[in-house]
Amino acid sequence: MPIVKYPRATEPLWHEWDRKAQKCGLRHTVYAVNGDRYTGEWLDNLKHGKGTQIWKRARAIYSGDWKLGKRDGYGSYSVLGPVTKEYKKVYTGWWKNDKRCGYGAMFYPGGELYEGEWSGGLRSGWGRMYYRDGSIYEGQWLEDRPGGQGMLQLPNGNRYEGGWKDGKKHGPGKFFYLDTGQLLEGIWAADIPKCGILIDFGRDEAPAPTQYPIPKV
């Protein structure tokens, strides 16, 4: 009886090539077709662990933690200055699912700075903002604007303490006019005081007090 020999089943070559192509662990710089490049750790062909990504077109660089191809953990994001030709830090802090999330510091053009909490890439939670004109806001944020309770200190020392909504004074609050030695306590709506009581407050120490004190009711 003739013996029939069947060819031994062999694995296609592309299976081996695919396994070799799957990047896993620490790798040298990997270049993309558009000129972007990444140096760092991988897992199942995705950026995962510590690594540095450079975007050629955006002229930006991120160095920090990655999770399954997205920025996740602690890291810093910088952009290339058009004049200095050096990378200038824009954000340093925590990330989640490729967006700013947790505590971090954001450096804005003109010297403005925000340090505080983020959620979904927006300022949300507690934070402190240093504005270009010298004003400082410290308090709660909601969807990238002051919302909740907070304090705004102006360059001349005057300050507002109270409620905020959509980035404007809203609800019960106090405005301290330290330059004239007065205090306005009342209710605000969309940055406008609707009602309140104005009294003398620290008038003797004020640099420019009013000519006459407010009479007591």
Side-chain angles (χ1 to χ4, degrees):
M1 182 176 180
I3 299 176
V4 179
K5 293 184 178 181
Y6 295 94
R8 181 180 298 178
T10 58
E11 186 180 40
L13 289 177
W14 70 267
H15 284 185
E16 183 180 357
W17 296 339
D18 187 62
R19 283 195 301 270
K20 291 182 178 180
Q22 291 293 315
K23 294 178 284 295
C24 189
L26 182 63
R27 286 295 185 93
H28 294 295
T29 303
V30 176
Y31 294 85
V33 177
N34 59 4
D36 298 346
R37 60 185 188 270
Y38 171 81
T39 305
E41 298 176 299
W42 297 78
L43 178 64
D44 295 335
N45 218 33
L46 295 174
K47 305 178 186 75
H48 189 88
K50 301 288 185 180
T52 300
Q53 170 79 33
I54 299 178
W55 291 274
K56 181 179 179 181
R57 186 172 182 179
R59 296 185 175 182
I61 181 173
Y62 170 81
S63 181
D65 297 326
W66 296 79
K67 183 178 180 181
L68 300 178
K70 296 182 179 180
R71 291 169 289 188
D72 200 299
Y74 189 85
S76 61
Y77 179 80
S78 306
V79 296
L80 189 66
V83 179
T84 62
K85 300 301 180 181
E86 295 180 354
Y87 283 102
K88 184 177 181 180
K89 191 174 296 183
V90 174
Y91 173 82
T92 179
W94 293 91
W95 301 73
K96 186 176 182 180
N97 199 26
D98 220 30
K99 294 182 179 180
R100 294 182 289 272
C101 186
Y103 190 87
M106 184 81 172
F107 304 88
Y108 296 88
E112 293 188 338
L113 166 66
Y114 171 83
E115 51 183 7
E117 297 176 314
W118 298 77
S119 179
L122 301 176
R123 292 169 289 186
S124 294
W126 179 92
R128 184 188 294 114
M129 182 75 187
Y130 298 88
Y131 294 96
R132 185 180 307 176
D133 63 356
S135 301
I136 302 174
Y137 172 81
E138 181 175 354
Q140 295 175 308
W141 293 75
L142 182 63
E143 295 182 351
D144 223 32
R145 290 185 290 184
Q149 294 294 312
M151 184 271 292
L152 175 66
Q153 180 174 317
L154 302 177
N156 61 2
N158 294 346
R159 71 178 186 272
Y160 168 82
E161 299 177 1
W164 295 79
K165 183 180 180 181
D166 297 331
K168 297 180 179 180
K169 305 176 191 69
H170 194 88
K174 299 178 181 180
F175 202 109
F176 296 85
Y177 296 92
L178 300 183
D179 55 345
T180 59
Q182 295 177 325
L183 166 63
L184 174 61
E185 184 173 0
I187 305 295
W188 271 257
D191 253 355
I192 300 175
K194 294 297 183 179
C195 62
I197 300 175
L198 184 66
I199 62 174
D200 284 327
F201 182 85
R203 188 173 182 275
D204 296 336
E205 295 80 19
T210 56
Q211 184 176 1
Y212 301 104
I214 298 175
K216 296 182 180 180
V217 179

